[in-house]
Amino acid sequence: MDLKWVRRRVTEALLVSGAVVACLVNHHVPQPYMDEIFHVPQTQQYCRGDLLTWHPLITTLPGLYYLALGYVGLQYALLYVLGIEKAAAYVASTSDAMSGATSAGVPFASFCSPFMLRSLNLLLLVLSFPLFHSTARAAARAAAGAAATARSKKGSKTSSRSRGVSALLHRYETLYDTRKETRDDTGDGTGDDTGDGTGDDTGDGTQDDTTNNGQADAQNRPARTSWDAVDEDCTWRAAMFVLFPLHWFFGFLYYTDVASSVAVLAMMRCVYKRQHYLAALLATGSIFIRQTNAVWAFFALCVSASRFLGLPTQVSQKAEGREGRCSAEALQNAEKKEGCEGMSSAFESAQRLAARTSERTEGSEGSEGSEGKSSELALSSNDNSTGRKGRTFSDPSWATDAAARGEDVPRALLLLLHRAWAERWKFLRTFLPLLAVLAAFFIFVRVNGGIVVGARTEHRLSPHLMQPLYFAAFSALSLSPLLLAPSSLLPLLASTSRSLRSYPSRCLFLTLLVSSLLFLTIKNFSLAHPYLLADNRHHTFYIWRRLVQPAHNPSQRFLLLPLYGLSLLALSHALRRTMTPLGLFFFAAATAAVLVPSPLLEFRYFIPPFMLLLLHFPLPQKLLEKRIACTLVLIAFVAVDTVTMALFLFRPFKWEGEEGWQRFLW
């Protein structure tokens, strides 16, 4: 499958379908609606040059308005440079508040119409597809680098020669995958590494590259490399995110959600690529769009700092079998088991080279000194993957191997602080941009007296501990085809069964403890904001009144306790395949920090945590099973998108004593 061709077609389909839906929205809802009645007039004030007037009910900083001002200015200049004055006049005429423009001349202020401002979010919605794919690939490469570091640092338990070989073989494999990937991008997309699909496996390591790539033989095509499978996984995830009902719906309205999510996503991409200055710039922009993104900036700092200090937050997750990577065992037995076709001799040469290098190192030993030098060799060989440049840490006696692997969370956090202090000057030089952004935000909160800018009475912080449970249930239901896939469900059932057989009393105690905590949380922290109870335009109004806590039977909310518990169990079990317990702790803490203080249940607040959840969510490893499960998720998302947009456009209703039509939305 040519994935580049697929991604181009998906992007084109998003553009065409998005343009059609945007025209329908502009036709049926030409005036600002719901929160747009604050955002659109405020941006239009900026377009008039009035940067000092501020609506007192706007809670966010003006990042979106500055972004829209630049976007509208660029569109205005392009249309007039190209001489498309009629198009400019049409765009301006869509704003009744600024009507009167003609093709003879359109003032810049009149160009800031709701249609033009909404088109900014539509553009960001389409761009989120390639951006998510690129971020997912960067995250996968970061995880592979962390796994290579872990293999090369088995240190005291392996010989110096083994560490050198492991590091060198990983570097060779990375170069091979990169070369393979480049050929896929420039060739016919078949994934054929030999040019004619019949790689020469004679044992001399040579391949015939003279045949036309377009005449590949599918039957003789070699197995896909690990990055072929990773690239396909990233494409599936990107498609799921761009069609995620909450993200997709608000791509057609002038809200802060799409711009906020795209800014956070771009920041995470830079973090995975170690572009810390650019990440700090994007973190600043994301906070100016929505203040709660400071939590995700801190999450990005924790992830990047852990990687810098040698504590992994991700687990390398590559497909197994013929689609899988060349494992250490496959490399050592490359001639006996043809695990990587056509590469046995090349890997054997790499082994000989590593052995010669290790022998030269051992020639100058003291055995202890030789191990140190070889360890440095292994780390420097992984320089591109680990980013540590051969540095070693002097850990305290309480730092166990589990802590160094990110599995013992309390000790891993202490070890993280210890290493950060030991490397404080290098740490500060590397992460000063992100630290400065977070420090500036803390000063803003102190001076402002809170996080929100306006409407503070309606947005007071509250301990809404049910929010993470709502998010877990919502996410589990959204990704249920993936969670119910055999390769995901069977390991969960097997693990639970083993635990019940081995530790029945412990499992019973934990079940009762978790159930009691969930019961107390549901009883004491099921907060109902006045907006939630009074505004029947939101879907959450009906979900709350009919499912979560109906007025005729308030105790019905406790019936959802198994759903919350199973959702937490399924999501945590799935994420443990791609994240270490330390990384899972960072994600859970950041999600709680974003959701818990909000007293209002509004599903669009779930977009950033769901985006990062999907970024690390494991897909089934079997190809057919993965494609079926992902297709089911996409079908469900498209169905929900269609229904919610149809309700919004074609089922308006009236409020007594209110002018204009009301519409259903998330």
Side-chain angles (χ1 to χ4, degrees):
M1 179 188 298
D2 187 351
L3 293 175
K4 289 189 67 176
W5 181 88
V6 170
R7 288 193 293 273
R8 284 196 295 268
R9 300 292 85 79
V10 170
T11 304
E12 292 169 0
L14 287 172
L15 281 171
V16 174
S17 62
V20 172
V21 175
C23 290
L24 288 174
V25 171
N26 189 62
H27 174 73
H28 290 277
V29 194
Q31 298 303 313
Y33 182 70
M34 196 68 78
D35 287 5
E36 286 184 326
I37 63 175
F38 307 116
H39 297 310
V40 171
Q42 185 64 48
T43 307
Q44 290 173 343
Q45 291 283 353
Y46 279 36
C47 290
R48 295 191 185 99
D50 183 4
L51 303 181
L52 299 179
T53 301
W54 186 259
H55 197 291
L57 295 181
I58 295 178
T59 62
T60 56
L61 292 170
L64 178 65
Y65 313 140
Y66 287 122
L67 181 64
L69 190 61
Y71 169 75
V72 171
L74 179 62
Q75 296 295 317
Y76 183 83
L78 285 176
L79 287 176
Y80 275 91
V81 166
L82 297 176
I84 314 178
E85 294 184 349
K86 290 185 178 180
Y90 168 75
V91 172
S93 66
T94 59
S95 173
D96 290 346
M98 296 183 176
S99 59
T102 63
S103 60
V106 181
F108 176 70
S110 300
F111 206 61
C112 291
S113 65
F115 175 77
M116 179 57 69
L117 297 178
R118 290 169 178 171
S119 69
L120 168 62
N121 275 344
L122 175 60
L123 176 63
L124 293 175
L125 174 68
V126 175
L127 290 179
S128 66
F129 175 71
L131 178 60
F132 191 97
H133 173 266
S134 178
T135 306
R137 283 182 60 89
R141 289 191 179 276
T149 305
R151 289 196 301 269
S152 66
K153 284 176 59 185
K154 285 183 179 178
S156 59
K157 298 183 180 180
T158 58
S159 66
S160 58
R161 175 176 176 178
S162 298
R163 288 194 300 272
V165 169
S166 175
L168 191 57
L169 291 181
H170 169 74
R171 188 172 186 179
Y172 183 87
E173 182 194 355
T174 302
L175 292 173
Y176 169 73
D177 283 341
T178 303
R179 180 186 177 198
K180 177 71 170 63
E181 188 177 312
T182 303
R183 289 190 178 185
D184 288 347
D185 290 346
T186 57
D188 62 352
T190 60
D192 188 354
D193 196 54
T194 63
D196 62 351
T198 59
D200 184 359
D201 292 350
T202 59
D204 59 354
T206 60
Q207 295 175 331
D208 184 7
D209 289 325
T210 59
T211 309
N212 190 341
N213 278 343
Q215 299 177 351
D217 184 356
Q219 295 179 350
N220 296 326
R221 185 182 305 158
R224 302 190 305 171
T225 67
S226 59
W227 288 110
D228 290 327
V230 169
D231 194 42
E232 181 175 342
D233 288 355
C234 296
T235 302
W236 282 113
R237 290 193 185 98
M240 283 186 272
F241 175 64
V242 76
L243 293 175
F244 178 51
L246 300 174
H247 181 64
W248 183 86
F249 184 88
F250 289 104
F252 301 97
L253 298 176
Y254 188 56
Y255 275 56
T256 59
D257 300 275
V258 175
S260 170
S261 301
V262 169
V264 172
L265 188 61
M267 175 188 67
M268 293 304 301
R269 179 182 182 274
C270 293
V271 164
Y272 289 127
K273 288 180 171 290
R274 300 189 190 85
Q275 299 169 343
H276 297 110
Y277 283 88
L278 185 55
L281 181 62
L282 290 167
T284 304
S286 68
I287 293 171
F288 264 88
I289 295 173
R290 178 172 287 173
Q291 294 91 304
T292 52
N293 287 337
V295 175
W296 299 117
F298 184 71
F299 169 77
L301 174 64
C302 291
V303 169
S304 188
S306 299
R307 185 181 174 195
F308 176 80
L309 297 171
L311 294 174
T313 58
Q314 295 176 270
V315 178
S316 181
Q317 193 69 20
K318 298 187 179 181
E320 296 176 352
R322 285 179 59 83
E323 295 181 359
R325 60 167 297 154
C326 301
S327 65
E329 292 79 6
L331 293 176
Q332 293 171 1
N333 302 290
E335 289 192 53
K336 297 179 181 178
K337 300 178 182 179
E338 297 179 356
C340 297
E341 289 86 32
M343 300 301 297
S344 60
S345 211
F347 284 118
E348 184 183 358
S349 300
Q351 287 178 324
R352 289 196 298 268
L353 176 59
R356 287 198 300 270
T357 305
S358 182
E359 287 169 2
R360 286 197 298 270
T361 304
E362 291 173 0
S364 60
E365 59 182 17
S367 62
E368 186 175 346
S370 132
E371 288 215 3
K373 291 181 182 179
S374 185
S375 178
E376 291 177 3
L377 168 65
L379 289 175
S380 61
S381 297
N382 282 290
D383 186 11
N384 291 334
S385 298
T386 67
R388 293 184 55 205
K389 300 182 180 179
R391 291 194 305 277
T392 57
F393 298 101
S394 177
D395 292 336
S397 58
W398 50 263
T400 62
D401 290 341
R405 293 193 301 269
E407 297 174 0
D408 186 348
V409 175
R411 292 192 180 187
L413 293 174
L414 293 176
L415 184 58
L416 183 66
L417 296 175
H418 174 83
R419 289 183 176 181
W421 177 254
E423 298 278 336
R424 53 189 175 276
W425 302 120
K426 294 177 182 177
F427 183 86
L428 284 175
R429 283 199 303 269
T430 304
F431 296 106
L432 183 60
L434 280 172
L435 290 171
V437 171
L438 293 173
F441 177 76
F442 178 77
I443 294 173
F444 159 76
V445 173
R446 294 282 294 181
V447 173
N448 186 56
I451 294 179
V452 297
V453 178
R456 297 186 182 181
T457 304
E458 295 80 6
H459 294 83
R460 292 176 179 174
L461 300 183
S462 61
H464 197 177
L465 298 182
M466 282 299 297
Q467 289 274 37
L469 299 182
Y470 297 145
F471 170 72
F474 183 86
S475 301
L477 291 174
S478 300
L479 300 176
S480 55
L482 299 178
L483 292 173
L484 296 177
S487 62
S488 299
L489 182 61
L490 294 180
L492 174 60
L493 295 177
S495 175
T496 305
S497 177
R498 284 195 304 269
S499 299
L500 289 173
R501 289 196 305 268
S502 303
Y503 311 102
S505 57
R506 183 185 301 179
C507 290
L508 178 61
F509 172 75
L510 289 177
T511 302
L512 292 176
L513 177 63
V514 172
S515 299
S516 300
L517 292 176
L518 291 177
F519 180 86
L520 292 175
T521 302
I522 295 172
K523 180 181 179 181
N524 299 316
F525 298 99
S526 295
L527 306 183
H529 195 278
Y531 288 174
L532 176 64
L533 301 176
D535 195 342
N536 66 342
R537 295 172 295 183
H538 290 283
H539 298 314
T540 50
F541 173 86
Y542 302 96
I543 294 174
W544 179 269
R545 296 282 294 268
R546 298 178 182 179
L547 180 63
V548 177
Q549 192 169 335
H552 66 277
N553 186 18
S555 60
Q556 180 176 317
R557 55 182 172 166
F558 296 105
L559 298 179
L560 298 177
L561 188 151
L563 174 63
Y564 299 140
L566 292 175
S567 298
L568 290 173
L569 177 63
L571 292 176
S572 61
H573 183 271
L575 290 176
R576 283 292 299 272
R577 292 166 53 191
T578 58
M579 302 177 75
T580 65
L582 179 63
L584 189 56
F585 170 78
F586 287 149
F587 174 72
T591 301
V594 168
L595 297 180
V596 168
S598 174
L600 177 62
L601 172 60
E602 194 159 1
F603 285 158
R604 61 193 180 97
Y605 297 160
F606 294 169
I607 297 177
F610 182 86
M611 174 184 70
L612 295 177
L613 170 70
L614 189 60
L615 191 66
H616 299 95
F617 200 84
L619 301 184
Q621 294 181 346
K622 294 181 180 179
L623 186 61
L624 179 61
E625 182 181 321
K626 173 174 63 179
R627 291 179 176 176
I628 292 175
C630 293
T631 301
L632 290 176
V633 173
L634 293 179
I635 291 174
F637 283 1
V638 170
V640 174
D641 291 338
T642 304
V643 171
T644 53
M645 185 56 70
L647 287 174
F648 177 74
L649 294 176
F650 306 121
R651 290 295 301 275
F653 60 95
K654 289 277 190 178
W655 273 357
E656 292 184 7
E658 292 282 344
E659 296 182 0
W661 292 99
Q662 308 302 322
R663 300 177 182 274
F664 298 106
L665 79 168
W666 285 105

